[in-house]
PDB file of all heavy atoms in Angstrom:
ATOM      1  N   ARG A  24      10.277 -11.274   0.697  1.00  0.00           N
ATOM      2  CA  ARG A  24       9.298 -10.174   0.701  1.00  0.00           C
ATOM      3  C   ARG A  24       9.645  -9.040   1.667  1.00  0.00           C
ATOM      4  O   ARG A  24       9.307  -7.890   1.394  1.00  0.00           O
ATOM      5  CB  ARG A  24       7.922 -10.709   1.074  1.00  0.00           C
ATOM      6  CG  ARG A  24       7.317 -11.552  -0.025  1.00  0.00           C
ATOM      7  CD  ARG A  24       5.839 -11.573   0.195  1.00  0.00           C
ATOM      8  NE  ARG A  24       5.197 -12.558  -0.635  1.00  0.00           N
ATOM      9  CZ  ARG A  24       4.029 -12.349  -1.218  1.00  0.00           C
ATOM     10  NH1 ARG A  24       3.410 -11.204  -1.053  1.00  0.00           N
ATOM     11  NH2 ARG A  24       3.479 -13.281  -1.935  1.00  0.00           N
ATOM     12  N   GLU A  42       9.263 -12.415  16.834  1.00  0.00           N
ATOM     13  CA  GLU A  42       8.812 -12.571  18.227  1.00  0.00           C
ATOM     14  C   GLU A  42       7.402 -13.149  18.346  1.00  0.00           C
ATOM     15  O   GLU A  42       7.017 -13.637  19.398  1.00  0.00           O
ATOM     16  CB  GLU A  42       8.791 -11.209  18.945  1.00  0.00           C
ATOM     17  CG  GLU A  42      10.109 -10.453  18.940  1.00  0.00           C
ATOM     18  CD  GLU A  42      11.155 -11.144  19.791  1.00  0.00           C
ATOM     19  OE1 GLU A  42      10.778 -11.768  20.786  1.00  0.00           O
ATOM     20  OE2 GLU A  42      12.345 -11.066  19.431  1.00  0.00           O
ATOM     21  N   VAL A  78     -23.109  -7.066  35.169  1.00  0.00           N
ATOM     22  CA  VAL A  78     -22.049  -6.450  35.987  1.00  0.00           C
ATOM     23  C   VAL A  78     -21.599  -7.454  37.051  1.00  0.00           C
ATOM     24  O   VAL A  78     -22.422  -8.052  37.742  1.00  0.00           O
ATOM     25  CB  VAL A  78     -22.567  -5.167  36.682  1.00  0.00           C
ATOM     26  CG1 VAL A  78     -21.473  -4.549  37.546  1.00  0.00           C
ATOM     27  CG2 VAL A  78     -23.038  -4.165  35.639  1.00  0.00           C
ATOM     28  N   THR A 123     -14.551 -10.380  13.804  1.00  0.00           N
ATOM     29  CA  THR A 123     -15.274 -10.277  15.084  1.00  0.00           C
ATOM     30  C   THR A 123     -14.447  -9.433  16.059  1.00  0.00           C
ATOM     31  O   THR A 123     -13.271  -9.163  15.803  1.00  0.00           O
ATOM     32  CB  THR A 123     -15.498 -11.660  15.737  1.00  0.00           C
ATOM     33  OG1 THR A 123     -14.250 -12.350  15.780  1.00  0.00           O
ATOM     34  CG2 THR A 123     -16.514 -12.491  14.997  1.00  0.00           C
ATOM     35  N   SER A 131      -8.507  -9.667  31.318  1.00  0.00           N
ATOM     36  CA  SER A 131      -9.209 -10.956  31.209  1.00  0.00           C
ATOM     37  C   SER A 131      -8.591 -12.003  32.135  1.00  0.00           C
ATOM     38  O   SER A 131      -9.254 -12.982  32.474  1.00  0.00           O
ATOM     39  CB  SER A 131      -9.131 -11.456  29.769  1.00  0.00           C
ATOM     40  OG  SER A 131      -7.809 -11.864  29.482  1.00  0.00           O
ATOM     41  N   GLN A 141     -10.152 -21.486  17.421  1.00  0.00           N
ATOM     42  CA  GLN A 141     -11.420 -20.726  17.309  1.00  0.00           C
ATOM     43  C   GLN A 141     -11.512 -19.958  16.007  1.00  0.00           C
ATOM     44  O   GLN A 141     -12.587 -19.518  15.618  1.00  0.00           O
ATOM     45  CB  GLN A 141     -11.518 -19.685  18.444  1.00  0.00           C
ATOM     46  CG  GLN A 141     -11.752 -20.240  19.815  1.00  0.00           C
ATOM     47  CD  GLN A 141     -13.153 -20.792  19.973  1.00  0.00           C
ATOM     48  OE1 GLN A 141     -13.870 -20.993  18.991  1.00  0.00           O
ATOM     49  NE2 GLN A 141     -13.553 -21.051  21.200  1.00  0.00           N
ATOM     50  N   ILE A 155      -6.158  -3.271  21.105  1.00  0.00           N
ATOM     51  CA  ILE A 155      -5.877  -1.857  21.384  1.00  0.00           C
ATOM     52  C   ILE A 155      -6.176  -1.565  22.850  1.00  0.00           C
ATOM     53  O   ILE A 155      -7.268  -1.864  23.348  1.00  0.00           O
ATOM     54  CB  ILE A 155      -6.721  -0.928  20.493  1.00  0.00           C
ATOM     55  CG1 ILE A 155      -6.321  -1.135  19.032  1.00  0.00           C
ATOM     56  CG2 ILE A 155      -6.519   0.558  20.835  1.00  0.00           C
ATOM     57  CD1 ILE A 155      -7.382  -1.695  18.224  1.00  0.00           C
ATOM     58  N   LEU A 219      10.913 -21.404  26.747  1.00  0.00           N
ATOM     59  CA  LEU A 219      10.294 -20.125  26.359  1.00  0.00           C
ATOM     60  C   LEU A 219       9.398 -19.633  27.492  1.00  0.00           C
ATOM     61  O   LEU A 219       8.531 -20.374  27.968  1.00  0.00           O
ATOM     62  CB  LEU A 219       9.456 -20.279  25.086  1.00  0.00           C
ATOM     63  CG  LEU A 219      10.212 -20.736  23.840  1.00  0.00           C
ATOM     64  CD1 LEU A 219       9.257 -20.912  22.666  1.00  0.00           C
ATOM     65  CD2 LEU A 219      11.290 -19.706  23.465  1.00  0.00           C
ATOM     66  N   LYS A 246      -3.627  -7.299  39.844  1.00  0.00           N
ATOM     67  CA  LYS A 246      -3.329  -7.044  41.269  1.00  0.00           C
ATOM     68  C   LYS A 246      -4.484  -6.325  41.949  1.00  0.00           C
ATOM     69  O   LYS A 246      -4.806  -6.596  43.093  1.00  0.00           O
ATOM     70  CB  LYS A 246      -2.051  -6.212  41.388  1.00  0.00           C
ATOM     71  CG  LYS A 246      -0.803  -7.035  41.163  1.00  0.00           C
ATOM     72  CD  LYS A 246       0.431  -6.270  41.599  1.00  0.00           C
ATOM     73  CE  LYS A 246       1.676  -7.104  41.318  1.00  0.00           C
ATOM     74  NZ  LYS A 246       2.844  -6.268  41.075  1.00  0.00           N
ATOM     75  N   ASN A 247      -5.087  -5.397  41.238  1.00  0.00           N
ATOM     76  CA  ASN A 247      -6.182  -4.621  41.825  1.00  0.00           C
ATOM     77  C   ASN A 247      -7.441  -4.820  40.978  1.00  0.00           C
ATOM     78  O   ASN A 247      -7.647  -4.148  39.970  1.00  0.00           O
ATOM     79  CB  ASN A 247      -5.785  -3.143  41.872  1.00  0.00           C
ATOM     80  CG  ASN A 247      -6.855  -2.316  42.565  1.00  0.00           C
ATOM     81  OD1 ASN A 247      -7.973  -2.795  42.800  1.00  0.00           O
ATOM     82  ND2 ASN A 247      -6.526  -1.081  42.878  1.00  0.00           N
ATOM     83  N   VAL A 262     -10.444 -10.093   3.217  1.00  0.00           N
ATOM     84  CA  VAL A 262     -11.861 -10.184   2.829  1.00  0.00           C
ATOM     85  C   VAL A 262     -12.104 -11.514   2.106  1.00  0.00           C
ATOM     86  O   VAL A 262     -11.243 -12.010   1.388  1.00  0.00           O
ATOM     87  CB  VAL A 262     -12.302  -9.003   1.910  1.00  0.00           C
ATOM     88  CG1 VAL A 262     -12.355  -7.703   2.677  1.00  0.00           C
ATOM     89  CG2 VAL A 262     -11.419  -8.885   0.674  1.00  0.00           C
ATOM     90  N   VAL A 264     -12.399 -14.464   3.323  1.00  0.00           N
ATOM     91  CA  VAL A 264     -11.846 -15.677   3.952  1.00  0.00           C
ATOM     92  C   VAL A 264     -12.883 -16.260   4.926  1.00  0.00           C
ATOM     93  O   VAL A 264     -13.345 -15.555   5.829  1.00  0.00           O
ATOM     94  CB  VAL A 264     -10.526 -15.342   4.697  1.00  0.00           C
ATOM     95  CG1 VAL A 264     -10.137 -16.451   5.664  1.00  0.00           C
ATOM     96  CG2 VAL A 264      -9.406 -15.117   3.693  1.00  0.00           C
ATOM     97  N   ASP A 286     -21.211 -11.699   4.501  1.00  0.00           N
ATOM     98  CA  ASP A 286     -21.675 -10.399   4.007  1.00  0.00           C
ATOM     99  C   ASP A 286     -20.837  -9.327   4.671  1.00  0.00           C
ATOM    100  O   ASP A 286     -20.690  -9.348   5.900  1.00  0.00           O
ATOM    101  CB  ASP A 286     -23.140 -10.187   4.416  1.00  0.00           C
ATOM    102  CG  ASP A 286     -24.055 -10.484   3.267  1.00  0.00           C
ATOM    103  OD1 ASP A 286     -23.684 -10.144   2.130  1.00  0.00           O
ATOM    104  OD2 ASP A 286     -25.123 -11.067   3.516  1.00  0.00           O
ATOM    105  N   ARG A 289     -19.161  -1.752   4.216  1.00  0.00           N
ATOM    106  CA  ARG A 289     -18.021  -0.859   3.995  1.00  0.00           C
ATOM    107  C   ARG A 289     -18.213   0.401   4.821  1.00  0.00           C
ATOM    108  O   ARG A 289     -19.308   0.975   4.834  1.00  0.00           O
ATOM    109  CB  ARG A 289     -17.986  -0.512   2.505  1.00  0.00           C
ATOM    110  CG  ARG A 289     -16.785   0.289   2.088  1.00  0.00           C
ATOM    111  CD  ARG A 289     -16.970   0.686   0.613  1.00  0.00           C
ATOM    112  NE  ARG A 289     -16.002   1.706   0.303  1.00  0.00           N
ATOM    113  CZ  ARG A 289     -14.970   1.524  -0.496  1.00  0.00           C
ATOM    114  NH1 ARG A 289     -14.796   0.372  -1.096  1.00  0.00           N
ATOM    115  NH2 ARG A 289     -14.130   2.501  -0.722  1.00  0.00           N
ATOM    116  N   SER A 330     -32.151  19.668   9.967  1.00  0.00           N
ATOM    117  CA  SER A 330     -33.491  20.126  10.333  1.00  0.00           C
ATOM    118  C   SER A 330     -33.589  21.645  10.192  1.00  0.00           C
ATOM    119  O   SER A 330     -34.668  22.217  10.145  1.00  0.00           O
ATOM    120  CB  SER A 330     -33.862  19.694  11.738  1.00  0.00           C
ATOM    121  OG  SER A 330     -32.946  20.289  12.623  1.00  0.00           O
TER     122      SER A 330
END
Side-chain angles (χ1 to χ4, degrees):
R24 289 201 191 219
E42 304 292 328
V78 179
T123 51
S131 71
Q141 289 289 14
I155 296 115
L219 299 177
K246 283 193 182 152
N247 184 348
V262 290
V264 164
D286 260 322
R289 186 186 166 111
S330 62

